[in-house]
Protein backbone atom coordinates (compact mmCIF):
# COMPACT_ATOMS: atom_id res chain seq x y z
CA UNK A 1 0.00 0.00 0.00
CA UNK A 2 2.83 2.34 0.89
CA UNK A 3 4.62 1.62 -2.41
CA UNK A 4 1.47 2.22 -4.44
CA UNK A 5 0.89 5.53 -2.75
CA UNK A 6 4.53 6.52 -3.21
CA UNK A 7 4.38 5.52 -6.90
CA UNK A 8 1.25 7.66 -7.39
CA UNK A 9 2.89 10.67 -5.76
CA UNK A 10 6.05 10.17 -7.81
CA UNK A 11 4.01 10.00 -11.04
CA UNK A 12 2.16 13.14 -10.06
CA UNK A 13 5.43 14.91 -9.24
CA UNK A 14 7.00 13.82 -12.54
CA UNK A 15 3.97 15.12 -14.44
CA UNK A 16 4.04 18.53 -12.74
CA UNK A 17 7.80 19.14 -12.61
CA UNK A 18 8.31 20.00 -16.33
CA UNK A 19 5.58 22.64 -16.19
CA UNK A 20 7.05 24.61 -13.27
CA UNK A 21 8.70 27.93 -14.08
CA UNK A 22 12.44 28.29 -13.71
CA UNK A 23 14.29 31.36 -12.47
CA UNK A 24 15.09 32.30 -16.09
CA UNK A 25 11.40 32.08 -17.00
CA UNK A 26 10.47 34.38 -14.12
CA UNK A 27 13.17 36.91 -15.12
CA UNK A 28 11.97 36.89 -18.75
CA UNK A 29 8.40 37.46 -17.57
CA UNK A 30 9.51 40.28 -15.28
CA UNK A 31 11.42 42.00 -18.11
CA UNK A 32 8.46 41.69 -20.47
CA UNK A 33 6.05 43.11 -17.88
CA UNK A 34 8.41 46.01 -17.17
CA UNK A 35 8.62 46.74 -20.91
CA UNK A 36 4.82 46.69 -21.23
CA UNK A 37 4.44 48.96 -18.22
CA UNK A 38 6.92 51.49 -19.61
CA UNK A 39 5.14 51.40 -22.97
CA UNK A 40 1.80 52.02 -21.25
CA UNK A 41 3.19 55.04 -19.42
CA UNK A 42 4.60 56.39 -22.67
CA UNK A 43 1.21 56.14 -24.36
CA UNK A 44 -0.51 57.71 -21.36
CA UNK A 45 1.85 60.70 -21.31
CA UNK A 46 1.55 61.16 -25.09
CA UNK A 47 -2.24 61.07 -24.84
CA UNK A 48 -2.26 63.63 -22.03
CA UNK A 49 0.03 65.99 -23.97
CA UNK A 50 -2.21 65.62 -27.03
CA UNK A 51 -5.32 66.38 -25.00
CA UNK A 52 -3.77 69.47 -23.44
CA UNK A 53 -2.75 70.76 -26.87
CA UNK A 54 -6.19 69.99 -28.31
CA UNK A 55 -8.13 71.60 -25.48
CA UNK A 56 -5.78 74.58 -25.50
CA UNK A 57 -6.44 75.05 -29.20
CA UNK A 58 -10.19 74.86 -28.63
CA UNK A 59 -9.92 77.41 -25.82
CA UNK A 60 -8.00 79.91 -27.94
CA UNK A 61 -10.28 79.38 -30.94
CA UNK A 62 -13.39 79.97 -28.83
CA UNK A 63 -11.90 83.08 -27.23
CA UNK A 64 -10.89 84.46 -30.60
CA UNK A 65 -14.42 84.19 -31.94
CA UNK A 66 -15.82 85.84 -28.80
CA UNK A 67 -13.29 88.66 -28.85
CA UNK A 68 -13.98 89.71 -32.42
CA UNK A 69 -15.80 93.02 -32.31
CA UNK A 70 -18.29 93.81 -35.04
CA UNK A 71 -17.01 96.43 -37.45
CA UNK A 72 -19.16 99.56 -37.27
CA UNK A 73 -21.18 99.99 -40.41
CA UNK A 74 -20.67 103.32 -42.14
CA UNK A 75 -23.69 105.45 -42.72
CA UNK A 76 -25.27 104.25 -45.92
CA UNK A 77 -28.32 105.70 -47.56
CA UNK A 78 -31.46 103.89 -46.62
CA UNK A 79 -32.65 101.69 -49.47
CA UNK A 80 -36.06 102.46 -50.89
CA UNK A 81 -38.71 100.15 -49.54
CA UNK A 82 -39.76 97.61 -52.11
CA UNK A 83 -43.05 98.36 -53.75
CA UNK A 84 -45.75 95.82 -53.10
CA UNK A 85 -46.50 93.37 -55.89
CA UNK A 86 -50.08 93.65 -57.09
CA UNK A 87 -51.61 90.87 -59.13
CA UNK A 88 -54.77 91.65 -61.08
CA UNK A 89 -57.10 88.75 -61.69
CA UNK A 90 -59.43 88.85 -64.72
CA UNK A 91 -63.04 89.50 -63.95
CA UNK A 92 -65.22 86.43 -64.29
CA UNK A 93 -67.43 86.42 -67.40
CA UNK A 94 -71.08 86.46 -66.42
CA UNK A 95 -73.06 83.40 -67.43
CA UNK A 96 -75.57 83.94 -70.25
CA UNK A 97 -79.04 84.58 -69.01
CA UNK A 98 -81.57 81.84 -69.42
CA UNK A 99 -84.25 82.56 -72.04
CA UNK A 100 -87.55 83.65 -70.57
CA UNK A 101 -90.74 81.97 -71.60
Amino acid sequence: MENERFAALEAHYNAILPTLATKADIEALRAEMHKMSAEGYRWMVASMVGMFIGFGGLYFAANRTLDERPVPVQAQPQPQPQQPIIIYLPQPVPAPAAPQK
Side-chain angles (χ1 to χ4, degrees):
M1 177 115 173
E2 185 75 25
N3 281 341
E4 291 174 11
R5 191 166 173 205
F6 181 73
L9 285 175
E10 187 176 14
H12 185 67
Y13 177 76
N14 289 337
I16 291 177
L17 187 62
T19 63
L20 296 178
T22 63
K23 189 172 184 178
D25 293 336
I26 298 296
E27 286 300 320
L29 178 64
R30 182 178 299 183
E32 187 176 340
M33 288 179 65
H34 181 70
K35 178 184 171 190
M36 289 174 57
S37 175
E39 198 170 295
Y41 286 131
R42 188 178 316 134
W43 272 102
M44 184 176 59
V45 169
S47 297
M48 294 298 284
V49 168
M51 286 190 336
F52 277 120
I53 290 172
F55 284 126
L58 285 173
Y59 172 78
F60 287 119
N63 274 345
R64 184 173 181 187
T65 58
L66 294 176
D67 286 344
E68 290 180 358
R69 306 279 189 253
V71 177
V73 179
Q74 297 177 357
Q76 296 178 353
Q78 293 291 339
Q80 294 293 328
Q82 185 177 4
Q83 295 295 323
I85 298 174
I86 301 174
I87 300 175
Y88 293 102
L89 297 175
Q91 294 293 327
V93 178
Q100 294 187 355
K101 290 186 179 182

